[in-house]
Amino acid sequence: VLERMDDIKAKETDKITITALATDDDKDAIIYAISDDRFKQEDNVFTWQTDYDSAGTYEVTLSANDGQDTTEQQFKVTVENVNRAPVIIDIIQKK
C-alpha cells in the first residue's frame, strides 16, 4: 500500500523532495520508482533541483513494488515561473 501523494507546487530554483512510503503485509522488501528522470533517487527519496527552465506542469507516477505486485499513484508537479532580474550584458560608451 502506497501512501497518498498530493499534488506539488513549487517555484523555479526550488528543490523538490518526495519521500515515498509504502507498507507490505508480507513484510517483503519494497522497491520504489518514479516516472520522471528529472528526479534523482536515493532509496525511497526523490529530489529535483529545479532551475529557471523548469516552469510547467508535469504528470508524475510514483510506484512501489514488492517483487510480485506493483502499486502506482499519479500526481502533478507544478513549477511556477519566477521573474528574473534583468542582466546587463555589455556597456558601450558613446563617442
Side-chain angles (χ1 to χ4, degrees):
V1 178
L2 186 60
E3 279 192 16
R4 178 173 162 68
M5 281 296 306
D6 293 326
D7 291 343
I8 297 171
K9 288 189 179 184
K11 295 183 187 284
E12 289 176 324
T13 72
D14 284 352
K15 183 176 187 177
I16 300 170
T17 302
I18 298 170
T19 302
L21 297 173
T23 56
D24 183 79
D25 289 339
D26 302 330
K27 307 295 185 223
D28 294 326
I30 299 173
I31 299 169
Y32 297 93
I34 198 163
S35 64
D36 194 315
D37 62 0
R38 287 178 267 270
F39 287 91
K40 305 299 180 224
Q41 180 178 2
E42 187 172 324
D43 297 322
N44 66 325
V45 178
F46 301 88
T47 57
W48 174 20
Q49 178 60 59
T50 64
D51 58 28
Y52 284 115
D53 296 320
S54 299
T57 300
Y58 307 89
E59 293 282 339
V60 178
T61 302
L62 188 63
S63 65
N65 180 314
D66 69 357
Q68 295 180 13
D69 296 311
T70 300
T71 184
E72 297 181 338
Q73 189 176 134
Q74 288 187 330
F75 57 97
K76 290 181 185 179
V77 175
T78 302
V79 180
E80 297 175 1
N81 187 39
V82 172
N83 186 35
R84 291 180 256 181
V87 176
I88 298 174
I89 297 174
D90 197 6
I91 299 174
I92 300 173
Q93 183 176 7
K94 291 186 175 186
K95 295 182 181 184

